[in-house]
Amino acid sequence: MVSKRAREVTPFMAMDVLERANELDDVVHLEVGEPDFEPPEAVFETAISSLRDGNTNYTAARGKPELRRAIAAHYDREYGVAVDPGRIVVTPGTSPGLLLALAALVDPGEEVVLTDPHYACYPNFVRTVGGTVRTVPLRPEDGFQPRADAFEAGLSALTRALLLNSPANPTGAVMDGETLADVADLAEATDTTPVVDEVYHGLSYDVDEHTMLEYTDDAFVLNGFSKRFAMTGWRLGWLIVPEAYVDAVNRLAQNLLICAPNFVQDAGVAALETPPDRLVEIRETYRERRDLLVDAVAEWGLDLGYTPQGAYYLLVDVRELPGDALDVADFLLEEAGVAVTPGVDFGEGAADYLRFSYATDIEAIEGAIERIDAALSTYGEIPSEAGN
Ligand SMILES: Cc1ncc(COP(=O)(O)O)c(C=O)c1O
C-alpha cells in the first residue's frame, strides 16, 4: 500500500495543464516556468571538455572545492557578503537542497510556515519530511510582500522553519531588505530558522535584490542554475547552511544524493564566471515581456493590483470574469488556445487567480494577448462548467 506520506503528495497542476495543452494543436504556452534562453556558450564548452577529460566519477557529497569557491565569490561580488565555502553544499538542483534543509531541520509533527500563495511544490516537501504546513496570507495590496507581523501571528510552539521565496513564484514579488531583516529578527527571537529560496535571483526588474545572508548567518539559503543561467535540465544548485547544521547536511547529502554530476559542477563554475552583460540583456528582455502583459491585463479590465518585480510570473485576479478561475483557465485553453496555470496550485489564497508565465518569446506573448483579446470579447458566453 502506498504510504500515507506519498498519498498526501498532490499533483503539480502546471504539469497537468502542460499535458492537456500538448494534446491540443496550436497552443501558446504561458503555463510553463522554464526559461526560453540557452545557457552561456562557455557552459557547454566546459561541460564537454570536462566530460572528455573523464570527470564522470562521484565527487565529494558537498561538491567540488572549485565550485564551492566560485559560489562564495559570487556572494562577495553580487551582495558584498562573505560566505565560508565550508558552509556551501552543492546539490543536483535547488529542489534537493530544499529536501536536505527540511530533513535537517524538521522532526515529524513540527511545523513549517509558508506564505499563501507559495511555490506549488513546497507543501509536498514539508509533508515528505513528516512536517505540518501552516500558512500566512499574502495580500496584493502589500505587493504580495510577506510581512513579519503576519509571520509572527502564524507561529506556534511547534514551528521550526519559515520558508520564503524571493523573487517569488507565482507572484513575481521581490522581498525588500527591510522585510528580510524583520524576518531574520523574528526567527532569532522565536528560535525558528528562515529557509529562503533565492532561485530566481538575477531576474528582478527595477528593484535591488538582497540575499537573506546579508541579514543573518542562521538561515538556509537555496539557489541554483536553473533560472538565472537557464540550466533547468543540468540539475545543479546549492545550499548555504548555518554552521551548526553543516555536519548534519553533509551526512544527509552523502546518504540521499551522493553528489551532483561531476562535469556539470565544472560547467557551474563557467556559468558563475559569465560576464554580467549577458544577464543584463536577458533581464531587459524579461522586463519588456512583463510590461507587455501588465498592460494587457489592464486592458482586459482585470485589476492586477500590484507590479510584479521579478521571476517571470504575473498572478492575475480573474474574479471579474464569469465562472471560477478553473473555468476561466479552461476557457482560455479551449477557446483562445492559451495555456495558463490555475492559481489554486499555489495555495487557497490564489484560488481566484491565474498565473501567467512570460518565459516565452515576445512574439508568442503578443499572439497570446491577441487571442485572449478576441476570446474575452465573447467571455459572457462562458458556461460555468466550460471545458469540464
Ligand atoms: C520557487 C522555485 N524553487 C525551486 C524550483 C526548482 O528549481 P530547480 O530546478 O533548481 O530544482 C522552482 C522551479 O520552478 C521554483 O519555481
Side-chain angles (χ1 to χ4, degrees), residues 250-314:
N250 191 40
R251 280 184 281 112
L252 285 163
Q254 287 171 338
N255 282 275
L256 301 183
L257 307 176
I258 307 273
C259 65
N262 188 333
F263 57 95
V264 176
Q265 295 190 45
D266 292 338
V269 175
L272 288 167
E273 289 172 353
T274 314
D277 37 325
R278 184 189 135 89
L279 185 62
V280 171
E281 243 173 67
I282 289 179
R283 216 171 3 227
E284 188 49 30
T285 309
Y286 279 130
R287 199 173 62 75
E288 268 174 42
R289 298 172 181 180
R290 177 205 61 179
D291 292 348
L292 197 64
L293 269 174
V294 166
D295 290 350
V297 168
E299 287 195 6
W300 298 331
L302 301 174
D303 181 16
L304 198 55
Y306 76 109
T307 304
Q309 295 170 314
Y312 33 66
Y313 305 109
L314 268 66

Side-chain angles (χ1 to χ4, degrees), residues 12 33-34 92-96 98 119 122 165 167-169 197 199-200 223-227 231-233 235-237 312-313 355:
F12 191 3
E34 186 157 6
T94 308
S95 310
L98 178 56
Y119 171 47
Y122 287 158
N165 173 217
N169 180 4
D197 178 348
V199 73
Y200 289 98
N223 206 332
F225 294 78
S226 289
K227 311 294 177 177
M231 290 171 64
T232 46
R235 307 312 302 140
L236 191 64
Y312 33 66
Y313 305 109
R355 188 192 73 174

Side-chain angles (χ1 to χ4, degrees), residues 130-147:
T132 305
V133 172
R134 275 172 90 95
T135 56
V136 296
L138 299 178
R139 306 184 318 172
E141 53 272 34
D142 297 328
F144 288 112
Q145 186 85 215
R147 293 156 43 133

